[in-house]
Amino acid sequence: MLGCMLNIISMRFMVAMVTRRTAARAGRAAPYDFQFSMVTLKSRFKFFFTQFFFVPIQLYWFVHLFRSCVSGYCGVVAAEGQTSHTMAAHLKKRVYEEFTKVVQQPFEELSAKKLRLTKPSKSATLHLDLCKATSPADALQYLLQFARKPVEAESVEGVVRILLEHYYKENESSVRLKIASLLGLLTKTSGFCPDSIADDVINTLQNEKSHQVLAQLLDTLLEIGTKLLDDAPIRMKLVDVAYKHLSDTGHGVRNKCLQLLGCLGAIDKSAASETESPVTKDVQKIIGDYFNDQDPRVRTAAIKAMLQLHERGLKLQQAMYSQACKLLSDDYEQVRSVAVELIWVLSQLYRESIVPIPSSNEEIRLVDDAFGKVCHMVSDGSWVVRVQACKLLGSMQQVSPHFLEQTLDKKLMSDLRRKRTAHERAKELYSSGEFSSGRKWGDDAPREELDTEAVNLIESGACGAFVHGLEDEMYEVRIAAVESLCLLARSSRPFAEKCLDFLVDMFNDEIEEVRLQSIHTMRKISDNITLREDQLDTILAVLEDSSRDIREALHELLCCTNVSTKECIHLALVELLKNLSKYPTDRESIWKDLQRIGELQSELSGMADFSATYLRCHLLLIKALNEKLWSLAAPLYVKQNSLTAAAVKQILEDTYKMEFMYSGLENRQVAIIHHMRLQANALQLLVTARTTKGMEPLFSLCEQFLQEVDSFQRCFISELPHMQDSFVDKLLDLMPRLVNSKPLEMVKILQTTLRQSSFLRLTLPEQIHRASAHIIEPAEESDNPIRFTSGLIVALDVDATLESVQDPQNTVKVQVVYPDGQIQIIHPKPADFRNPGPGRHRLITQVYISHTAWTEPCQIEVSLLLAYSSSRSKILNPSSKPAWGDSTEALPVTESSIEGTIPFSKPVKVFLMPKPARR
């Protein structure tokens, strides 16, 4: 407002000057003296200033002042002559234009303005925050706040520079520690390459005195090296830094240095031969020297670094074995735990190497010696070490049978001691020089003193290792021992027979998880065992268990286990009938040692059904292509078109069933299924051409069919040599002609090709399983109807078993058909599925039923559907074979959106009796 007032004063002054000059030229005096005008304006301006700035409510006076100034000035100019009148009118118009003129611009002439949003620089913000810090506590607080905010990849380097700048200025170690931690976090930023800051971070190590900060900086260097593994110069520079700080007095620094060596140390001689730096040192020798460090945490880090070298592909030296064996008696449990793992690694690398037995002249295979030492650790004082030892025993395969069997006997076997020959014993008596009575040579010689620790080929602590593991007080150890027994028993039938008694005893364990694991283990080794009658008695006693999972797992075990006598079968049947009377919900599981007893070669059922379905499709195709039917004109034989359309529909349904309801298919079978589907699509095109008027729909269908042929070629190019003289083989030869043909001409070519194509012989894999389902609950034709109030919701329990269904969580659906024809499809939750055995699933869920128009008792129909989608096709790429449910890039374009459902269970009818709604 003040600026506007000043502009008005300047304007009055300018106008007055012009008016005075004009009047002077005309030979007359101005009607108002210029001095008077300035005084008047000055006083009015003073009045405005006082009223406007100090009494804001008097804003009205400012408007009045402005209008009076303009009107007074106009009156002065109007009293002048003709020349001054023209100028006054012009100035008055200009004043009003400046303050009251409105310019309206058309909407279409307005140009869109683009907004540009800019974010403040992360480095600048951090720099300002750190500059504002007046104490280390403030700086630490700002750093903590900064750590919660994300940083873009392009801003990381600038932020790192600011942090390093403040790092050198900071005297407080806690703040430097936080900065070092932030540096490590920033190097993990996706899209940022830390090669530009590696040297800067290395320089921070030179003058740092705090062990914690040094350890954190080394951890940051480890992150940098992990992201730059392919950059040999930087990696070697970081390893050199690790060598220099290995002598630090802080255990955390030494730990990080050893970790750097394990993750970044050279694993090939070619890289080390290019330089003469300390990187060329033997990294295994340097790490091995710290196996005897005074700090147990450093010893643990050294062993882990050695294991890291092994994981990166460096073959560990056999000399490490003796060092690792000494660490088994370490006072620190973490050292013993990782030492057991190192011994296991060396036993896999040098199985057949010969090592000496301490305190004797005997030698033994390294894998047998390592097995004995790991067995000895099953009796360790720490349960963590015991679990680790039990787990590793199962993966030590090629162990000598007598050593393996020793783990099941607590008594030391005599054949595990080296027996001396008679000649060796006589030679020792002769060399002893002892006197005798002369009646018998060496009759008074001292008896041989046996030292079991000295002459045993296996340590006495290893005897009965699995027995100790199965009797351990910690259930984690018992589970690990059971799992290892399973792995070893599957590879050795004699060992499986000997460990059977111990596994049967575990059926009575107090922990349910241990009992369940023991049952699963015995089922996995069922091919290598035969149950005796006494063992079967113990197993059948578990049928009284209150856990449903335990009972069903035991039913699965009885289905696949061999028994020694007929009396065992009779005993099992009697106990199962007792179990049925006590637990009626187990009837389906029990109906399944009983059904197994009567089954003969059930493994062939899926293959037979698959072959029959394929032959049925081929017969339908031959029948639809009958020469007599296609020779008639379309208007004269309408029935032929409907028969062909029905045949096409049935073939397409069967091809989807063959692809999605059968497991174990190979790429060749999938190709044959798609070939049959391609023939059905060609037949559909022939029917459409005979019944459709107009060329536009036929043109698009022809183009779509050609795309299907092209997709088939791309997906199954590796199988085309096995499809000689087939339909698709002839089409590919005719493809140039088909592309340039008109729709009607193309239809004639397809009809001829379909008739002349040869039958593709179906080769089957070893095992094909058909997906099936059986609904247990609700029971069909039950005498007890389900009662509920009309208009409300009733929960219907659904219990079903699924056989050979791949990915049931995503494919199995429940269908309910109401009496009025309405259909409800329910997708069960993933938690409703269980996996009681290989290839078998259990569905236990609830379906909520409601119908507002329900007035009288009726039946509903419950069934299970198998949903399929072309996006989950079983097309297998020759280079990689995706699992079931994985999407493939080589899908046919025309089938990418085809979805449907396949009934794969017998529908069950449930009788519902509604009650009238209460009012």
Side-chain angles (χ1 to χ4, degrees):
M1 295 296 182
L2 181 60
C4 294
M5 192 61 195
L6 292 176
N7 288 334
I8 295 171
I9 295 172
S10 301
M11 192 181 302
R12 284 295 298 265
F13 179 78
M14 181 180 65
V15 172
M17 289 293 294
V18 173
T19 305
R20 188 175 183 87
R21 289 178 182 176
T22 304
R25 291 177 183 177
R28 58 181 181 271
Y32 293 100
D33 187 71
F34 176 75
Q35 185 66 27
F36 174 77
S37 300
M38 289 301 296
V39 172
T40 303
L41 289 176
K42 184 176 182 182
S43 62
R44 292 190 177 183
F45 175 74
K46 183 176 181 181
F47 171 77
F48 158 76
F49 186 83
T50 304
Q51 294 295 325
F52 182 77
F53 285 93
F54 294 96
V55 188
I57 303 177
Q58 304 283 339
L59 184 60
Y60 166 78
W61 293 104
F62 169 71
V63 179
H64 179 69
L65 173 63
F66 171 72
R67 290 182 176 178
S68 62
C69 290
V70 174
S71 60
Y73 168 72
C74 293
V76 171
V77 178
E80 299 297 331
Q82 184 68 27
T83 306
S84 60
H85 176 76
T86 305
M87 181 177 293
H90 175 73
L91 290 175
K92 179 179 179 181
K93 180 180 179 182
R94 179 179 178 184
V95 170
Y96 275 104
E97 284 181 351
E98 183 174 354
F99 292 97
T100 64
K101 184 176 181 180
V102 178
V103 180
Q104 185 174 2
Q105 186 175 0
F107 177 77
E108 59 272 12
E109 295 181 1
L110 294 175
S111 59
K113 295 183 178 180
K114 297 182 180 179
L115 297 178
R116 182 180 179 184
L117 300 178
T118 59
K119 296 181 180 179
S121 173
K122 298 288 185 180
S123 57
T125 304
L126 179 62
H127 179 68
L128 292 176
D129 289 341
L130 293 178
C131 290
K132 291 188 296 184
T134 58
S135 64
D138 293 343
L140 188 60
Q141 188 65 27
Y142 286 128
L143 292 174
L144 289 173
Q145 294 176 0
F146 177 78
R148 302 188 188 103
K149 304 175 183 178
V151 181
E152 297 80 7
E154 58 270 12
S155 304
V156 171
E157 186 171 356
V159 172
V160 169
R161 303 297 179 194
I162 296 299
L163 289 174
L164 289 174
E165 180 181 353
H166 190 79
Y167 175 88
Y168 290 115
K169 299 177 182 178
E170 184 60 52
N171 295 325
E172 180 61 34
S173 60
S174 61
V175 180
R176 299 200 306 275
L177 179 63
K178 185 59 182 176
I179 292 177
S181 176
L182 286 176
L183 293 176
L185 291 175
L186 290 171
T187 56
K188 298 179 183 178
T189 304
S190 178
F192 172 69
C193 185
D195 55 351
S196 59
I197 64 172
D199 293 334
D200 296 324
V201 179
I202 293 175
N203 292 334
T204 59
L205 298 170
Q206 297 178 359
N207 299 322
E208 183 57 57
K209 303 299 182 184
S210 173
H211 298 299
Q212 289 183 336
V213 180
L214 276 175
Q216 187 61 55
L217 289 172
L218 289 170
D219 187 74
T220 301
L221 292 178
L222 178 61
E223 296 293 341
I224 295 175
T226 304
K227 294 191 69 172
L228 301 175
L229 279 176
D230 297 333
D231 195 334
I234 291 182
R235 182 166 54 87
M236 295 167 63
K237 189 180 298 184
L238 296 180
V239 172
D240 191 18
V241 170
Y243 283 134
K244 291 180 181 178
H245 290 83
L246 267 176
S247 58
D248 194 275
T249 57
H251 72 275
V253 179
R254 300 202 298 277
N255 285 354
K256 291 300 178 182
C257 291
L258 290 170
Q259 193 174 357
L260 268 169
L261 293 180
C263 295
L264 306 178
I267 61 174
D268 53 345
K269 296 182 179 179
S270 60
S273 61
E274 297 176 358
T275 178
E276 297 299 331
S277 66
V279 181
T280 58
K281 298 180 181 178
D282 187 357
V283 65
Q284 293 191 50
K285 175 65 170 57
I286 295 174
I287 295 177
D289 291 341
Y290 286 86
F291 283 4
N292 301 320
D293 193 272
Q294 60 181 358
D295 195 300
R297 291 165 292 189
V298 178
R299 298 198 294 272
T300 304
I303 302 175
K304 289 182 177 179
M306 196 69 72
L307 292 173
Q308 185 67 28
L309 290 177
H310 168 71
E311 292 178 1
R312 294 177 52 218
L314 178 64
K315 187 176 182 180
L316 302 184
Q317 301 171 2
Q318 186 177 347
M320 296 293 170
Y321 180 72
S322 59
Q323 293 180 272
C325 291
K326 295 178 182 178
L327 294 174
L328 294 178
S329 58
D330 196 276
D331 296 335
Y332 193 59
E333 67 174 15
Q334 292 296 330
V335 176
R336 301 198 300 274
S337 179
V338 292
V340 170
E341 187 175 357
L342 180 58
I343 287 178
W344 177 84
V345 168
L346 293 170
S347 70
Q348 304 305 304
L349 293 175
Y350 304 97
R351 289 191 181 95
E352 303 300 326
S353 298
I354 303 299
V355 295
I357 299 177
S359 305
S360 71
N361 296 327
E362 305 299 331
E363 294 179 338
I364 193 176
R365 294 167 65 224
L366 190 144
V367 65
D368 292 335
D369 186 67
F371 184 77
K373 287 181 167 53
V374 176
C375 286
H376 182 72
M377 301 308 293
V378 176
S379 302
D380 191 85
S382 170
W383 71 271
V384 177
V385 179
R386 299 199 299 270
V387 170
Q388 179 76 343
C390 287
K391 286 182 178 180
L392 293 176
L393 285 177
S395 56
M396 300 182 73
Q397 300 295 330
Q398 303 173 356
V399 181
S400 300
H402 53 282
F403 287 111
L404 192 61
E405 296 170 3
Q406 179 65 58
T407 58
L408 300 175
D409 193 349
K410 291 184 178 180
K411 296 182 295 185
L412 183 65
M413 294 182 180
S414 61
D415 57 357
L416 289 182
R417 292 194 296 115
R418 169 70 163 83
K419 294 182 179 180
R420 300 173 184 175
T421 63
H423 177 71
E424 290 175 338
R425 290 196 299 269
K427 183 177 180 181
E428 288 186 0
L429 290 174
Y430 176 77
S431 61
S432 63
E434 298 290 342
F435 292 98
S436 64
S437 61
R439 295 180 181 179
K440 187 178 180 181
W441 180 263
D443 56 353
D444 59 348
R447 294 288 183 181
E448 178 184 11
E449 295 182 1
L450 296 179
D451 184 3
T452 58
E453 294 292 337
V455 300
N456 285 347
L457 297 183
I458 185 173
E459 295 186 13
S460 59
C463 298
F466 279 120
V467 180
H468 291 295
L470 296 175
E471 296 176 351
D472 197 276
E473 61 179 352
M474 304 297 293
Y475 81 94
E476 294 89 349
V477 180
R478 302 200 295 274
I479 291 178
V482 170
E483 292 175 351
S484 291
L485 273 178
C486 176
L487 294 174
L488 294 173
R490 294 179 69 177
S491 59
S492 174
R493 182 181 291 271
F495 185 75
E497 293 287 346
K498 291 190 176 183
C499 71
L500 185 57
D501 289 330
F502 298 96
L503 288 176
V504 171
D505 290 340
M506 300 305 294
F507 284 18
N508 297 319
D509 193 273
E510 59 182 355
I511 302 298
E512 179 180 343
E513 188 176 353
V514 179
R515 300 198 300 271
L516 191 61
Q517 185 64 36
S518 302
I519 297 174
H520 289 328
T521 296
M522 188 172 291
R523 190 188 66 211
K524 293 177 182 178
I525 65 173
S526 59
D527 294 338
N528 292 341
I529 60 174
T530 300
L531 292 177
R532 302 191 308 268
E533 189 171 350
D534 60 322
Q535 295 170 339
L536 185 62
D537 284 336
T538 305
I539 292 175
L540 293 177
V542 186
L543 291 174
E544 302 293 329
D545 199 295
S546 59
S547 173
R548 183 173 182 174
D549 293 334
I550 293 290
R551 298 196 305 272
E552 292 188 354
L554 193 60
H555 297 158
E556 292 288 336
L557 173 62
L558 294 175
C559 286
C560 58
T561 304
N562 299 321
V563 292
S564 57
T565 61
K566 294 182 180 179
E567 287 75 13
C568 293
I569 298 178
H570 182 266
L571 179 62
L573 292 175
V574 173
E575 293 298 327
L576 286 174
L577 291 176
K578 291 181 181 179
N579 182 216
L580 181 60
S581 61
K582 186 174 182 179
Y583 299 103
T585 56
D586 292 353
R587 58 180 177 272
E588 181 62 24
S589 180
I590 295 173
W591 171 250
K592 287 287 176 68
D593 11 84
L594 300 176
Q595 194 177 24
R596 182 63 178 264
I597 296 176
E599 289 180 352
L600 294 176
Q601 293 184 334
S602 60
E603 62 274 9
L604 300 178
S605 60
M607 194 176 301
D609 292 340
F610 185 86
S611 302
T613 306
Y614 176 72
L615 292 175
R616 181 174 61 200
C617 292
H618 190 70
L619 291 176
L620 286 173
L621 185 65
I622 294 176
K623 185 177 181 180
L625 291 172
N626 193 340
E627 180 70 25
K628 294 181 180 179
L629 300 179
W630 288 94
S631 60
L632 298 176
L636 298 178
Y637 202 86
V638 182
K639 184 180 178 180
Q640 185 267 341
N641 295 327
S642 61
L643 292 176
T644 306
V648 170
K649 181 180 179 181
Q650 185 63 45
I651 293 173
L652 291 177
E653 289 180 358
D654 288 341
T655 55
Y656 282 114
K657 287 182 181 179
M658 287 191 291
E659 183 175 5
F660 294 99
M661 286 191 66
Y662 292 87
S663 59
L665 300 180
E666 298 176 353
N667 200 31
R668 183 165 300 178
Q669 288 82 46
V670 179
I672 292 176
I673 293 173
H674 280 258
H675 182 265
M676 179 62 69
R677 193 177 302 162
L678 189 66
Q679 289 176 297
N681 290 333
L683 188 60
Q684 178 66 46
L685 183 59
L686 299 183
V687 176
T688 305
R690 292 170 62 93
T691 58
T692 303
K693 295 181 180 180
M695 298 301 296
E696 292 184 2
L698 189 60
F699 183 83
S700 61
L701 290 175
C702 292
E703 185 178 2
Q704 183 179 0
F705 180 80
L706 292 178
Q707 291 178 359
E708 292 176 358
V709 176
D710 182 67
S711 298
F712 185 93
Q713 181 185 12
R714 289 187 288 106
C715 296
F716 302 106
I717 189 171
S718 60
E719 300 298 332
L720 290 178
H722 306 285
M723 297 183 174
Q724 297 293 332
D725 296 330
S726 64
F727 175 67
V728 70
D729 184 54
K730 294 180 179 296
L731 283 184
L732 293 177
D733 293 336
L734 297 172
M735 186 59 70
R737 180 181 172 186
L738 291 174
V739 172
N740 298 321
S741 299
K742 295 181 179 180
L744 293 179
E745 183 181 358
M746 179 178 173
V747 168
K748 294 180 180 179
I749 297 175
L750 290 179
Q751 182 177 348
T752 305
T753 308
L754 277 172
R755 292 173 180 168
Q756 296 177 354
S757 300
S758 62
F759 172 72
L760 277 180
R761 187 178 299 276
L762 180 65
T763 58
L764 298 176
E766 296 181 358
Q767 290 291 334
I768 293 182
H769 301 284
R770 185 180 187 272
S772 61
H774 176 65
I775 298 178
I776 305 171
E777 290 288 345
E780 189 173 11
E781 299 179 356
S782 175
D783 296 332
N784 298 323
I786 299 177
R787 303 177 184 271
F788 73 105
T789 302
S790 179
L792 298 181
I793 296 176
V794 61
L796 180 65
D797 293 328
V798 176
D799 187 357
T801 57
L802 313 175
E803 299 284 347
S804 304
V805 178
Q806 303 288 340
D807 193 16
Q809 291 85 356
N810 295 323
T811 57
V812 175
K813 298 179 185 294
V814 181
Q815 177 180 274
V816 178
V817 181
Y818 289 92
D820 60 352
Q822 293 188 21
I823 297 177
Q824 180 185 7
I825 296 179
I826 300 97
H827 193 172
K829 298 180 294 186
D832 295 338
F833 293 89
R834 299 181 181 180
N835 185 13
R840 180 172 297 174
H841 292 83
R842 184 77 172 272
L843 172 61
I844 302 177
T845 186
Q846 281 188 333
V847 175
Y848 297 99
I849 299 173
S850 178
H851 202 295
T852 57
W854 210 303
T855 57
E856 58 184 7
C858 294
Q859 286 183 336
I860 63 171
E861 195 174 83
V862 181
S863 61
L864 296 183
L865 304 179
L866 189 67
Y868 67 87
S869 173
S870 297
S871 60
R872 297 197 306 268
S873 179
K874 287 186 178 180
I875 297 176
L876 302 180
N877 193 333
S879 60
S880 63
K881 295 185 177 181
W884 176 283
D886 292 346
S887 60
T888 56
E889 297 179 356
L891 288 176
V893 178
T894 58
E895 295 184 354
S896 59
S897 61
I898 296 179
E899 296 182 355
T901 56
I902 304 172
F904 75 119
S905 74
K906 182 181 178 181
V908 175
K909 294 183 178 180
V910 183
F911 190 71
L912 299 181
M913 183 176 293
K915 301 177 183 179
R918 296 181 181 179
R919 296 183 179 179

